[in-house]
Amino acid sequence: MRKASALTRFVASGIAVTALLGGYGQAPAATTDSGAPSPVQAAAAGAYQAGRGDPIGLPAGSVYSNPASGRDEVVVPDMRHTALLIGDSQSEPTDGWPRLGLAAVGYKVHFCGLGGTGFVASNGKTGNYIDALQRGDWKLPYGTPALIVIQGGGNDAARGATDAQIVANADRLIAALKDRYPGARMAMIGTLARGANYGGGRRTQVDALLGTVAARHGLPFVGVGDWLSKYSLTKNLADAVHMDAAGRRSLGGLLETRLRQLGLEGPALDGTVPATASALTPAD
């Protein structure tokens, strides 16, 4: 990794992330893993614009009825440089750490999902990941993303979802995404937690379980089930499971490094090299 002062890397991160994240994704809002959705969240499923004709000419956010797939899809600009991120409230804010990490390795980000959901968990308004997709609570984008990332598991851990339920729905979601985007690169990010010996509990167990799912499907996996303790980030918890702004930046930097290790960098944007999100570098 290139050497640079922490201050230089931090400033570069702010510029890169602001440029890459603005205007993409669906309804970033509250940072809670559970509870009723905010008004912004509740409106997300109906926030799309109706659109007809050539999808290339439609404004961003328009819904295109794709005759090839028979599905309604949302128009997103520059899909060649866009990562499709499916996740929960860890990913939902525009400065959520999964978004920061993806932006730092060269992606624009389009988010699908809402806080309080997971592979099995729903939030009372929106279904779990696969049910929300199938019933149209949120719509996948038209065109093929540069990368598809599935993040989550925290709400499943909190609400007592069994291993069998999580695995079955994860398998269904992966199969649906592979069917929708044949040949697209795909990866998974697990469940943020303390380590098993530091109170990680069920969250750490779900993180490990998702790692086995990813391995079985041949997908790169970023296990984060011990990151809070491994990198001394519990001091940056804003509540029991969410990070403050500094913690999100630190996690974004850690994720950036792991994505680079996995060879998941995005296509160059305007010929530039993405700036790093943080001076922190995780140990192997």
Side-chain angles (χ1 to χ4, degrees):
M1 181 170 285
R2 298 187 300 274
K3 295 182 181 293
S5 70
L7 177 59
T8 300
R9 293 162 66 85
F10 177 82
V11 171
S13 166
I15 296 171
V17 169
T18 299
L20 288 169
L21 291 182
Y24 284 80
Q26 296 172 15
T31 56
T32 55
D33 260 357
S34 61
S38 71
V40 175
Q41 290 174 318
Y48 307 104
Q49 308 171 46
R52 295 181 181 178
D54 183 357
I56 302 302
L58 293 176
S62 298
V63 172
Y64 172 66
S65 295
N66 190 337
S69 65
R71 302 181 179 100
D72 287 344
E73 299 170 344
V74 63
V75 175
V76 175
D78 197 16
M79 286 297 292
R80 188 169 69 89
H81 297 103
T82 296
L84 167 61
L85 174 60
I86 297 172
D88 57 22
S89 61
Q90 301 287 344
S91 292
E92 189 176 2
T94 54
D95 69 338
W97 58 270
R99 296 202 195 207
L100 296 182
L102 287 167
V105 296
Y107 296 101
K108 300 175 181 178
V109 177
H110 179 79
F111 176 68
C112 288
L114 285 176
T117 66
F119 295 94
V120 178
S122 65
N123 67 6
K125 296 287 186 178
T126 299
N128 62 49
Y129 295 163
I130 184 61
D131 289 345
L133 169 60
Q134 291 182 335
R135 73 188 192 192
D137 292 354
W138 41 258
K139 295 173 174 59
L140 293 177
Y142 172 79
T144 301
L147 179 68
I148 302 169
V149 177
I150 307 169
Q151 170 273 324
N155 294 299
D156 301 315
R159 299 183 197 174
T162 67
D163 285 6
Q165 290 173 319
I166 294 170
V167 169
N169 278 10
D171 285 344
R172 291 172 60 208
L173 178 64
I174 292 168
L177 291 169
K178 286 184 174 181
D179 178 67
R180 184 76 67 96
Y181 303 113
R185 292 198 302 173
M186 190 181 304
M188 294 181 70
I189 300 173
T191 308
L192 182 66
R194 298 171 172 83
N197 296 325
Y198 298 90
R202 181 59 175 158
R203 292 178 71 92
T204 298
Q205 293 173 0
V206 171
D207 179 83
L209 177 66
L210 293 173
T212 68
V213 172
R216 183 161 46 80
H217 286 276
L219 305 181
F221 179 73
V222 180
V224 295
D226 63 352
W227 276 19
L228 291 179
S229 50
K230 184 176 182 179
Y231 300 112
S232 302
L233 292 174
T234 55
K235 65 183 182 299
N236 294 116
L237 283 167
D239 56 30
V241 294
H242 299 98
M243 308 302 292
D244 62 18
R248 293 193 294 272
R249 289 193 297 270
S250 295
L251 286 172
L254 294 166
L255 178 59
E256 174 208 348
T257 301
R258 189 70 185 115
L259 291 173
R260 292 189 188 281
Q261 291 172 343
L262 292 170
L264 293 174
E265 295 95 338
L269 294 169
D270 301 324
T272 61
V273 178
T276 55
S278 170
L280 289 179
T281 301
D284 293 335

